[in-house]
Every structure is written in C-alpha cells, then in structure tokens.
Amino acid sequence: MRIVFTLCVAIVLLGIPKANAEQYGIAQSSSSWSTNHNQPDRTDGIDTAAVTLVKLIAGPDQGVPVLLWSDDSSQGFPGSGSGQFSVGAKFDAKVRGEDGSVINIHAETKDGETGWVTIADVEYDLADGHLFLIKTRGTKPRIAQLSVDVKKVSSRFGMNGLIKFARSNSKIVSFWKDAEPAGKDTQPVESDS
C-alpha cells in the first residue's frame, strides 16, 4: 500500500511521462514564376524566379528553415531529403548555371536547431542567415546569404507575396540588379550579418 501511495505522489509531482515526439525529415514548398515579360525594368530573380522553402526537421523542435531563391524560373530546386534518428535531416538539390554547369546544394542539421548549407562547394552556417540568393545567369554562379525573418517570407509564399517581399528589401534588389559578372572569383560570398 505504501509503494502504491508513493508511486501516485511521484506521478502527481513529476507529471505523467510523455512520449518523446521526435520527428526526422524535411518539409518542402516551392513557387516559381515569370512575369512582366515586356517591361523595361524587368529584373531576373524578382520578375522571374524559383523559390523553395525547406524545413529540416530533426528532433522535437520545429525545424530549421532554408530558403533557396534562384533567378531561373524554369528549374526550381527539385531535390530529395531524408531524416534519421541520431543522424539528423538532410536536403540535396541541383540547379544549372546558364553555362550548363551544375550547382550542387546540400543542407543539413543534426539537432533541428542549427545547421549548414553547402552551395557550389562553399559552406554557409545557418546562424548567419537562412535565405540564399543564387544567381545562375552569367559566367559563374553567384551566391548571397541573407538574414531575414523566414516566418514573414513563408507567410507570403506565392508569386505576388514573394515579389513584394523582394522589392521591399534593398539588399535583395541590389543583388539581382547588380550588373557585375557573377562568380565566386569576384564575389564569393555576400552576407547580411
């Protein structure tokens, strides 16, 4: 009787143990568009673009978002992902540069809170930002990592909301309108941190 009473008191004081709701994998949504075809102020990356939001899920947390944004609406970021206990979550994709080169993209988290992205063999820490602009047009790809509130972006996911978001961010506009030749040799990484 004393053991049952002690067990009941322990449950009341400590709470009933809950099952650990860990999840592993990815969630992905994409949007692409091409608009304003005959407008003189048309900007590749804004008026024609492909955007993919990937959430890397590893553990009980909400996941780590990665936002990939390209100037080529015909490609998108077709990719695959996986998740596994003690390994974390991974996402792999490819996009082609205008010259036909393949730009490999790999995103990974071990804990569902932190992570990294590798684009064209350059590694980026997600602590420095979750948005990656990928300029595929030009002689070489060009990548910019920006720190933005991904929740605000994901709430507007769709052509009109994303175009409005891009036009309201001077760093995004500047990146897409930059006439300098693209390439890792001239400007390998831009960061908004």
Side-chain angles (χ1 to χ4, degrees):
M1 179 84 147
R2 188 176 217 173
I3 295 173
V4 173
F5 177 77
T6 305
L7 183 59
C8 290
V9 170
I11 289 173
V12 169
L13 293 176
L14 301 175
I16 297 172
K18 296 180 182 174
N20 194 356
E22 291 192 3
Q23 297 180 9
Y24 296 86
I26 66 162
Q28 178 179 351
S29 54
S30 298
S31 185
S32 62
W33 62 89
S34 184
T35 186
N36 293 335
H37 297 286
N38 298 319
Q39 300 299 319
D41 62 342
R42 183 169 194 240
T43 304
D44 289 337
I46 297 175
D47 295 307
T48 180
V51 180
T52 295
L53 175 62
V54 177
K55 189 179 290 186
L56 303 167
I57 304 166
D61 294 308
Q62 296 297 316
V64 180
V66 176
L67 190 60
L68 304 168
W69 193 309
S70 168
D71 56 356
D72 188 350
S73 65
S74 69
Q75 296 188 67
F77 294 95
S80 62
S82 64
Q84 184 177 355
F85 177 73
S86 79
V87 175
K90 300 176 183 179
F91 174 78
D92 291 292
K94 295 178 182 182
V95 65
R96 291 208 176 272
E98 188 174 52
D99 64 352
S101 63
V102 176
I103 303 165
N104 291 307
I105 302 164
H106 175 81
E108 188 168 345
T109 182
K110 300 274 187 209
D111 59 10
E113 296 177 13
T114 61
W116 63 94
V117 175
T118 304
I119 303 174
D121 298 322
V122 176
E123 189 171 296
Y124 302 88
D125 186 337
L126 286 171
D128 298 328
H130 296 262
L131 171 59
F132 296 89
L133 305 177
I134 304 169
K135 189 179 280 192
T136 63
R137 300 201 167 122
T139 57
K140 293 184 180 178
R142 186 166 158 214
I143 291 58
Q145 178 182 20
L146 300 176
S147 180
V148 299
D149 185 351
V150 175
K151 288 181 183 176
K152 285 185 180 178
V153 178
S154 63
S155 69
R156 310 184 216 198
F157 214 78
M159 180 185 80
N160 292 331
L162 290 169
I163 289 173
K164 185 176 179 179
F165 167 76
R167 291 201 187 286
S168 69
N169 186 305
S170 62
K171 292 181 182 191
I172 293 174
V173 171
S174 175
F175 176 82
W176 292 123
K177 287 191 173 193
D178 185 4
E180 292 297 313
K184 289 188 276 184
D185 298 336
T186 57
Q187 290 182 318
V189 177
E190 293 179 9
S191 180
D192 184 33
S193 37

